[in-house]
Amino acid sequence: MPELESFEKSVKLMTLWVKEIGPKELDPQERWWTFPRQGPIMGFFGVRPLMLIGDQASTDPWPETHPSRVLLYGTLIKLGVPDAHLTDVIKKRGQGSESCKRLPADFPLHLDLLRREIDIIQPSRIVALGACAEQLLLEYLPEVGKDVRRVWHFAYGTRPGRAEGFEAQLRAAIL
């Protein structure tokens, strides 16, 4: 019963979010961050056994009109996977590529949360959004290595002339 399985995954994700990741009364730089829902895109609450994992969200605002968000979410809709699970290895925002240079002191907690997400989603495919995300996944979660496919990070895909390449890479990675 796929609907029951999806419902159970949704409940588990919501519980994880409320208890561990959800908004805390903290300084904005210390808040946990998850990919938001938007239209048919489920973001963090996606339950398809397909995970797209970035290294860490940047500190930039990410409104619905942000070019990176438009590209990522638009591509997921085009490819028919709006219910993919979107997440990051590190759940707190940081400066661009900061996680490639230095891991946060509470990194083991972030790994624990990601492992629990993986346990809930049971992905048949994991797409690493960029080289940094791939490196973190392969080094710290080697048990998922066989399921990982790397694509450009969507921020790189917003550079002139790269949107089609991002879409083609993502299409190939999820098939």
Side-chain angles (χ1 to χ4, degrees):
M1 297 176 67
E3 287 114 24
L4 182 58
E5 182 179 309
S6 291
F7 176 76
E8 289 172 350
K9 285 181 180 181
S10 294
V11 169
K12 288 177 181 178
L13 284 172
M14 182 62 78
T15 302
L16 178 66
W17 187 79
V18 168
K19 289 184 176 179
E20 305 285 345
I21 301 173
K24 308 270 190 247
E25 296 302 320
L26 298 173
D27 176 275
Q29 295 300 328
E30 291 297 314
R31 277 194 198 119
W32 298 99
W33 188 88
T34 57
F35 282 89
R37 292 180 188 214
Q38 179 183 329
I41 301 294
M42 296 177 71
F44 175 81
F45 295 103
V47 295
R48 180 183 290 258
L50 168 64
M51 293 181 76
L52 278 70
I53 304 176
D55 57 318
Q56 178 178 24
S58 76
T59 56
D60 291 343
W62 213 49
E64 291 183 7
T65 57
H66 192 284
S68 294
R69 187 166 170 174
V70 169
L71 177 63
L72 176 62
Y73 284 19
T75 303
L76 293 173
I77 290 169
K78 278 185 192 176
L79 299 180
V81 291
D83 55 345
H85 182 75
L86 309 179
T87 194
D88 288 300
V89 175
I90 298 169
K91 310 296 183 202
K92 292 180 184 174
R93 292 178 153 215
Q95 295 301 317
S97 301
E98 180 178 337
S99 58
C100 290
K101 301 172 193 132
R102 180 175 53 112
L103 297 175
D106 62 351
F107 186 65
L109 176 59
H110 296 270
L111 285 178
D112 177 59
L113 290 168
L114 182 57
R115 279 190 177 98
R116 293 191 325 200
E117 287 176 75
I118 290 168
D119 285 344
I120 292 167
I121 299 298
Q122 294 291 301
S124 55
R125 178 65 44 95
I126 295 174
V127 177
L129 296 167
C132 186
E134 180 186 44
Q135 176 188 339
L136 291 170
L137 289 168
L138 296 178
E139 185 172 344
Y140 294 99
L141 295 169
E143 64 272 19
V144 302
K146 68 180 178 8
D147 299 320
V148 175
R149 303 293 181 273
R150 181 179 75 182
V151 300
W152 290 337
H153 190 280
F154 48 85
Y156 182 76
T158 62
R159 294 181 182 178
R162 302 224 188 271
E164 291 83 18
F166 174 77
E167 181 180 333
Q169 285 187 9
L170 191 53
R171 180 185 313 279
I174 64 174
L175 296 179

